[in-house]
Amino acid sequence: MKKRTLQELSQEQEQLNSSYNDINSLQKQIYLENQQRLQNLKQEKQESLKINDDEVKKVEQLQEDINLYFPVGKFCLNQLSQYPKEEKQAHILSFINILQENPYSDVQKQKPKITLEAALMTCYGFEDHLLQPLVQSGVKLFIINDNDNNDKKLEIIENFNGHSNWTVIKPSKLNSITFGGSFHPKIWILKFPKFIRIVIGSQNLHVGDWTVWSQAMWIQDFKIGNTELDLISKDFKIVLKEFLDQILPNSHKFEDLLKIRYDDYDFQNINIRLITSIPGRYTEKQLHKYGIMRIQSVLNQELINNNFEIPKQVSITYQTTSIGQLDNNYVDFFQQCCSGQQVKQPQKILQNNKSIAQMLFNKQEDEKSTLKLIYPTSDYIQNQTKAGPEFANPLFLRKQQFENPKFPKNIFYKYQGSNYYFWHNGNIPHLKVMIITSLDDKIDDNTSIYIGSHNFSQAAWGRLEKNATQLFISNTELGVLYPPKKDSAKFKQQIIEQLSFKFPPDKYEKTDQPWISEVYYEQLL
């Protein structure tokens, strides 16, 4: 190996140093660029977090701004003219108050601005002058009704009474000749800027419905949100949408009318089960979907889910304002469904001279339940009510039906004003309430309470056909059921005390006769 001089070694070192410097410079540049990139990523992440945090804060602020007055379903009555104005009760509301964001504001003194944007209301009947102030305030109003349409072939009446924001819709697809029933549900969907309010009960849209006749309602507010729903809340959301889709003609969707996205709303904190009746004949999986069979199915589910024993005997107190064709067989069938016991389907209905009810349920004597039908006496309407017989038109019982030998006259109990609030004395009922208890009428966790549009008739609740394999319903109805539930006794007792009639009721005396309008007017002649 040639020996290198100092000069040569020095030059080589300089070259090496230069190479190292180049490499170090490149590495440094890469390092700095990488550091800058990491810094940029960190900054972007921080900005992103800040943006997300700001959005979260905005959403939280928005939620804080939404004051739901009915975050959980509330039982309410309507304000009648006979009630003293100085006696304010949170469960008693007027028509105009329910349409306010704050239903407890003093609308006479404060005169709050109406923020209601749109309203969809179903009813058996309505009066223009009750609704015109609402329309004149700019609210888009959609009435679904089958009785006040003079042109039976016209499904949609736009610009009703000359108002561009008032539409009356006929639910024609449900009222065919085949079923021939009444369109009788009462549901309101009220759209406010930040939430929707749902009202389900017995209320129609006549002036008398809000001044003379006592009504019962369930009310709840729902804001926009996306929380995970429990099974009861999911059931409410599904059943409600299905019902709304079914009652409207195919040309109109409730979401389009109200300009809402149904799935955007948070249907949580549901404390009831929806009970619907839709005209039709139902078998197999749909047998327990509607009417009284829906009651039976829900009660059976809730009793089992709460580890309650399914009772063999129940007491059913049913306050109704209209009575259809009844006999003892149908009363037995109705009682059996209200106990939550499953209906047994025999191979043959008639054999060995047994009644249909006996064959359906194979009942034993010790399984006998009781039905107490609350309906006003003729004396109550004529001599005890504030408004008098002229305002008793919501009450319906045919003379021919009552005089039929098969009609169960022994189930009648008096309608009287509640013992808890004196001003209920002398009111005329239009509410429909059913209370299911043990035989001692005690309100406990097992108690169920129904309110809604169903009167006591086969048309509303349905009757079994074809060897108990088919349910036939002719009416469209809607109501809510407070089912058996643990730790619910106190809440249900509160509802009982808020009712406008006496519970438990007093039985008809021998001289009592039910209010029958045709009998009253025959006597006047």
Side-chain angles (χ1 to χ4, degrees):
M1 182 177 180
K2 181 181 176 182
K3 187 176 182 179
R4 287 175 291 178
T5 62
L6 289 173
Q7 185 178 0
E8 290 174 335
L9 289 172
S10 177
Q11 290 175 347
E12 289 177 7
Q13 187 63 46
E14 286 179 3
Q15 291 175 354
L16 289 171
N17 288 342
S18 178
S19 297
Y20 281 126
N21 287 336
D22 292 341
I23 292 173
N24 287 337
S25 177
L26 180 61
Q27 288 180 335
K28 182 178 180 180
Q29 182 180 352
I30 294 173
Y31 169 77
L32 292 174
E33 289 177 354
N34 190 49
Q35 288 297 106
Q36 183 63 45
R37 184 177 64 82
L38 292 175
Q39 183 66 26
N40 291 340
L41 288 174
K42 183 178 180 181
Q43 186 174 350
E44 288 176 3
K45 185 176 181 180
Q46 289 176 341
E47 291 177 354
S48 176
L49 289 173
K50 184 177 183 302
I51 292 172
N52 290 337
D53 188 52
D54 289 342
E55 289 179 350
V56 169
K57 288 181 179 178
K58 286 180 182 178
V59 171
E60 290 175 348
Q61 182 64 38
L62 180 62
Q63 299 300 323
E64 289 176 2
D65 291 342
I66 301 177
N67 189 3
L68 299 181
Y69 289 90
F70 305 112
V72 179
K74 182 176 178 60
F75 172 83
C76 291
L77 297 177
N78 60 330
Q79 177 79 37
L80 299 183
S81 300
Q82 70 186 54
Y83 295 169
K85 294 180 180 180
E86 65 275 9
E87 296 285 350
K88 295 289 185 180
Q89 298 292 325
H91 69 282
I92 298 179
L93 296 170
S94 69
F95 176 74
I96 190 63
N97 278 99
I98 297 175
L99 304 179
Q100 300 288 337
E101 279 197 44
N102 178 1
Y104 301 110
S105 61
D106 190 332
V107 295
Q108 299 299 326
K109 294 180 179 180
Q110 299 173 3
K111 294 184 178 179
K113 179 183 177 182
I114 293 183
T115 58
L116 181 64
E117 296 177 349
L120 184 149
M121 298 174 163
T122 71
C123 61
Y124 187 69
F126 66 92
E127 288 178 330
D128 301 354
H129 51 282
L130 177 70
L131 298 170
Q132 276 183 341
L134 183 64
V135 178
Q136 289 168 353
S137 69
V139 176
K140 292 182 179 178
L141 180 60
F142 303 93
I143 300 293
I144 307 177
N145 169 260
D146 193 36
N147 289 313
D148 293 329
N149 187 344
N150 293 325
D151 188 344
K152 295 300 180 182
K153 296 181 180 179
L154 191 62
E155 289 191 356
I156 310 297
I157 305 177
E158 297 181 346
N159 302 321
F160 186 80
N161 274 5
H163 297 281
S164 60
N165 55 331
W166 189 350
T167 303
V168 175
I169 303 172
K170 179 183 176 182
S172 57
K173 65 180 180 179
L174 295 181
N175 290 275
S176 65
I177 297 175
T178 304
F179 304 120
S182 298
F183 182 77
H184 199 246
K186 299 92 170 56
I187 178 173
W188 301 353
I189 301 180
L190 309 177
K191 179 193 175 186
F192 293 95
K194 298 177 181 178
F195 66 93
I196 59 172
R197 176 171 295 159
I198 295 178
V199 184
I200 298 173
S202 61
Q203 72 287 352
N204 281 310
L205 296 170
H206 298 111
V207 173
D209 285 290
W210 297 95
T211 56
V212 179
W213 306 317
S214 182
Q215 314 283 355
M217 293 157 282
W218 172 91
I219 308 177
Q220 185 164 348
D221 295 340
F222 301 94
K223 62 185 177 182
I224 291 176
N226 191 27
T227 60
E228 185 174 352
L229 302 180
D230 59 29
L231 292 177
I232 301 301
S233 297
K234 286 181 181 177
D235 180 73
F236 174 89
K237 182 178 180 181
I238 292 170
V239 173
L240 178 60
K241 186 178 187 304
E242 182 183 76
F243 181 80
L244 293 171
D245 286 340
Q246 287 173 315
I247 65 175
L248 280 164
N250 293 327
S251 57
H252 286 63
K253 303 296 182 183
F254 75 94
E255 291 176 276
D256 296 335
L257 295 174
L258 295 171
K259 291 183 169 51
I260 63 172
R261 283 173 51 87
Y262 185 74
D263 288 336
D264 286 348
Y265 291 92
D266 196 2
F267 293 93
Q268 61 174 317
N269 300 324
I270 300 298
N271 58 0
I272 50 86
R273 301 292 298 273
L274 281 179
I275 307 297
T276 63
S277 287
I278 295 291
R281 286 182 164 86
Y282 304 99
T283 60
E284 299 179 350
K285 291 182 179 180
Q286 289 193 319
L287 184 65
H288 292 83
K289 193 171 183 178
Y290 302 111
I292 190 59
M293 298 300 282
R294 165 75 171 172
I295 290 273
Q296 183 275 328
S297 177
V298 167
L299 290 177
N300 186 269
Q301 292 171 21
E302 296 289 354
L303 289 166
I304 292 173
N305 291 342
N306 285 273
N307 295 318
F308 293 153
E309 183 179 351
I310 297 176
K312 292 183 178 180
Q313 298 174 304
V314 292
S315 175
I316 304 160
T317 302
Y318 193 169
Q319 178 272 314
T320 185
T321 56
S322 181
I323 302 172
Q325 292 185 356
L326 302 177
D327 57 28
N328 287 324
N329 284 343
Y330 190 77
V331 170
D332 285 345
F333 162 59
F334 194 88
Q335 289 176 151
Q336 187 72 14
C337 290
C338 289
S339 71
Q341 296 181 38
Q342 291 186 343
V343 175
K344 299 173 184 177
Q345 298 174 356
Q347 294 299 316
K348 292 183 180 180
I349 285 186
L350 299 175
Q351 62 181 22
N352 300 329
N353 296 320
K354 291 186 178 181
S355 71
I356 294 176
Q358 288 174 321
M359 286 305 302
L360 279 176
F361 312 116
N362 193 25
K363 292 171 61 174
Q364 303 298 320
E365 288 300 320
D366 62 349
E367 295 179 358
K368 183 69 174 177
S369 297
T370 63
L371 175 64
K372 303 172 184 176
L373 190 66
I374 299 179
Y375 185 81
T377 64
S378 180
D379 176 70
Y380 176 82
I381 295 299
Q382 293 186 60
N383 303 315
Q384 300 178 46
T385 58
K386 303 286 184 182
E390 291 75 15
F391 288 87
N393 47 304
L395 303 170
F396 182 80
L397 173 60
R398 290 188 183 279
K399 177 183 176 182
Q400 183 180 3
Q401 291 173 215
F402 184 72
E403 292 179 347
N404 189 318
K406 294 183 179 180
F407 191 88
K409 299 180 178 64
N410 61 315
I411 64 176
F412 277 79
Y413 282 70
K414 296 180 181 181
Y415 183 95
Q416 297 168 295
S418 166
N419 292 335
Y420 291 95
Y421 300 98
F422 71 88
W423 55 80
H424 288 312
N425 292 329
N427 74 75
I428 296 178
H430 187 256
L431 66 174
K432 304 95 171 61
V433 180
M434 181 163 59
I435 306 162
I436 305 172
T437 66
S438 55
L439 294 180
D440 59 5
D441 292 323
K442 181 181 178 182
I443 304 300
D444 53 27
D445 289 350
N446 292 58
T447 298
S448 298
I449 302 174
Y450 166 89
I451 65 170
S453 71
H454 290 79
N455 280 304
F456 192 29
S457 71
Q458 298 183 43
W461 289 110
R463 69 173 186 267
L464 288 178
E465 299 177 328
K466 293 188 176 180
N467 204 26
T469 61
Q470 178 173 279
L471 182 71
F472 171 61
I473 295 175
S474 56
N475 281 10
T476 307
E477 309 277 2
L478 178 66
V480 302
L481 180 76
Y482 295 92
K485 188 178 180 181
K486 291 181 179 178
D487 302 320
S488 65
K490 184 177 180 180
F491 169 71
K492 290 169 182 171
Q493 180 61 39
Q494 184 181 46
I495 293 177
I496 296 299
E497 294 175 6
Q498 292 173 346
L499 289 169
S500 56
F501 60 88
K502 181 181 178 181
F503 175 86
D506 296 329
K507 192 173 178 61
Y508 270 30
E509 298 175 10
K510 289 184 178 180
T511 57
D512 285 329
Q513 292 292 314
W515 168 258
I516 302 175
S517 59
E518 56 187 308
V519 172
Y520 171 73
Y521 289 110
E522 283 175 0
Q523 292 172 348
L524 291 182
L525 296 175

